[in-house]
Amino acid sequence: ARASKYAPEFFDVPYTLGDINGDSSIDILDVVLLVNIILGSADSTPAADMDGNGVVNVLDVILLINLILGISN
């Protein structure tokens, strides 16, 4: 058997990529929560994996900030 990173129900909740705190707005509060997820002081959410690679890291922070600032990659 293979270990999975997320429980199956983790993906059942609809979300907007980047709206990490689920308040229907993508802003600095999402950046703060994303940093806390990376530091291990908050639980992860699929909305935090900005590049969709299955890992939440500093690259996701960069993509989120670029999204907020309107910078395309």
Side-chain angles (χ1 to χ4, degrees):
R2 184 174 170 211
S4 63
K5 187 169 186 167
Y6 303 107
E9 59 273 8
F10 185 80
F11 297 99
D12 292 341
V13 179
Y15 64 91
T16 300
L17 193 61
D19 183 17
I20 300 167
N21 62 4
D23 67 354
S24 299
S25 178
I26 300 174
D27 53 25
I28 189 65
L29 297 176
D30 297 297
V31 176
V32 171
L33 184 54
L34 180 53
V35 170
N36 286 333
I37 290 169
I38 293 168
L39 295 176
S41 61
D43 293 331
S44 192
T45 169
D49 187 12
M50 296 297 296
D51 57 9
N53 68 355
V55 179
V56 177
N57 58 29
V58 69
L59 297 177
D60 297 301
V61 175
I62 293 167
L63 291 172
L64 180 57
I65 291 171
N66 285 348
L67 176 66
I68 292 168
L69 295 176
I71 300 170
S72 61
N73 294 323

